[in-house]
Amino acid sequence: MNFPTLNFQLPPALEARKPPEARGLARDGVRLLVSYRHNDVIVHATFRDLPQFLNAGDLLVVNDSATLPAALNAKRDEGSEFILHLSTQKEDNVWTAEPREASVFEGEEVALPNGGRAEFLKPHRGSSRLWKVKLRLPDPPHDYLYRWGKPIKYPYIAGDWPIDMYQNIYARRPGSAEMASAGRAFTLPIIEALKAKGVSLSAITLHTGVASLEQPEAPYEEWFEVSAVTAEAVNAHRSNGRVIAVGTTVVRALESAVTESGEVQAKQGWTDLVITPERGVSAASSLITGFHEPKASHFGILEAFAGHR
């Protein structure tokens, strides 16, 4: 999906090429821009200042999905190699995957580390880069990835970083191809300070797929779960506080669980929901998000909250 009105130039010098810890910052020492919709006031702060912007009775909703080391070396029978990004596990042995900078054909098989094999079944519907892939692995998929995979990274990232650099501190359910990075700056002291102030915390799970940096595409289906406890908390806080979604993945999960009456219900399964400014959002009142590439579909969600400036 292309959002031409949300196109802009991103100077390379402003790209975050290394984790903040490698740049001499604490995890919660990154910059925080706070925008108030009702009066257009903007405040520049750091993320560790977050508690001062939230109130007793507010609810933070986070995504507890953990990032998998989902990048694998793939080798063709004739010897050439490329990187295979596993995105979404559809069945026990079938995944949606992206062969990076490589052309493949239906029925082609490639070798993976330690005797693994991947067969490209057919292109994913509506995508020019994703394929349905059948894996034959010597171990269960997650065990295999933790041993042989690496975190997915793109050319703007300098260096190789361990999987811990791609995990939120509250992550507990492995399944994401890429980090739900809006929550990366949270630390235990921040969470403790929020709880002491009377801010509640709930979680959803949404396993994120791979991004489409070079060819913007509509978000495709991802697996999510909104528990009964989280649904109840969201509905309760909407009437007497704010519901703050930590990341666009949380927004997608909550909106996928909204009923016709406007309540959030317990729900799990696959969502292909695309949130646009025209559709709007109803479950959350505020959003904590990271920065995104030009034309990214995430800006549709951001504009649904903040309008177009």
Side-chain angles (χ1 to χ4, degrees):
M1 179 173 291
N2 195 341
F3 292 94
T5 60
L6 297 171
N7 192 14
F8 55 91
Q9 294 296 318
L10 177 59
L14 297 182
E15 292 178 340
R17 297 182 177 274
K18 297 179 179 179
E21 294 92 328
R23 295 181 277 123
L25 293 174
R27 182 175 274 238
D28 58 6
V30 297
R31 289 180 289 180
L32 176 68
L33 178 69
V34 182
S35 175
Y36 292 91
R37 286 176 294 176
H38 66 282
N39 57 9
D40 280 341
V41 168
I42 290 177
V43 179
H44 293 270
T46 60
F47 200 86
R48 63 170 60 100
D49 299 321
L50 179 65
Q52 76 182 55
F53 299 104
L54 301 185
N55 305 316
D58 287 343
L59 173 70
L60 276 172
V61 185
V62 301
N63 183 1
D64 64 6
S65 178
T67 313
L68 295 168
L72 291 167
N73 293 325
K75 187 174 183 179
R76 288 190 165 100
D77 292 341
E78 39 81 0
S80 63
E81 298 184 2
F82 61 90
I83 301 297
L84 181 65
H85 287 176
L86 298 185
S87 176
T88 307
Q89 186 174 8
K90 302 292 291 185
E91 303 167 22
D92 286 345
N93 298 315
V94 177
W95 292 63
T96 302
E98 179 186 20
R100 287 293 293 174
E101 300 179 349
S103 296
V104 297
F105 56 86
E106 289 189 24
E108 181 176 6
E109 287 196 26
V110 295
L112 302 176
N114 196 40
R117 301 285 292 181
E119 179 185 358
F120 293 92
L121 301 178
K122 62 181 180 179
H124 185 275
R125 59 180 174 81
S127 176
S128 60
R129 64 190 179 92
L130 299 173
W131 282 75
K132 180 178 283 189
V133 176
K134 184 174 183 178
L135 300 181
R136 289 188 288 275
L137 304 176
D139 303 300
H142 287 185
D143 294 344
Y144 180 85
L145 288 175
Y146 281 116
R147 183 171 182 183
W148 299 103
K150 294 181 179 180
I152 288 175
K153 74 167 192 172
Y154 295 100
Y156 68 87
I157 298 294
D160 294 320
W161 305 97
I163 192 64
D164 288 350
M165 288 290 184
Y166 297 85
Q167 302 292 7
N168 293 315
I169 63 165
Y170 45 72
R172 65 182 184 89
R173 301 182 71 179
S176 283
E178 295 180 7
M179 183 182 190
S181 57
R184 190 188 189 281
F186 277 91
T187 58
L188 287 177
I190 287 179
I191 290 176
E192 291 170 356
L194 289 168
K195 289 182 177 180
K197 194 170 183 178
V199 177
S200 301
L201 188 73
S202 290
I204 59 89
T205 302
L206 185 139
H207 295 320
T208 67
V210 294
S212 53
L213 302 186
E214 294 84 7
Q215 302 178 39
E217 296 178 351
Y220 54 96
E221 64 275 6
E222 295 170 310
W223 189 90
F224 78 101
E225 180 179 359
V226 176
S227 69
V229 171
T230 293
E232 182 179 353
V234 170
N235 292 329
H237 283 79
R238 288 167 67 194
S239 61
N240 58 14
R242 294 178 296 180
V243 176
I244 300 106
V246 181
T248 57
T249 60
V250 171
V251 180
R252 193 183 201 196
L254 290 179
E255 292 298 318
S256 298
V258 172
T259 66
E260 291 185 0
S261 65
E263 295 289 297
V264 176
Q265 64 180 340
K267 191 174 182 179
Q268 68 176 32
W270 295 93
T271 178
D272 59 1
L273 178 65
V274 178
I275 298 170
T276 64
E278 293 74 23
R279 180 194 180 277
V281 292
S282 60
S285 56
S286 304
L287 173 66
I288 296 174
T289 186
F291 203 64
H292 302 290
E293 298 78 17
K295 297 184 181 180
S297 61
H298 304 78
F299 282 114
I301 298 178
L302 186 58
E303 191 173 347
F305 276 94
H308 186 76
R309 296 292 197 273

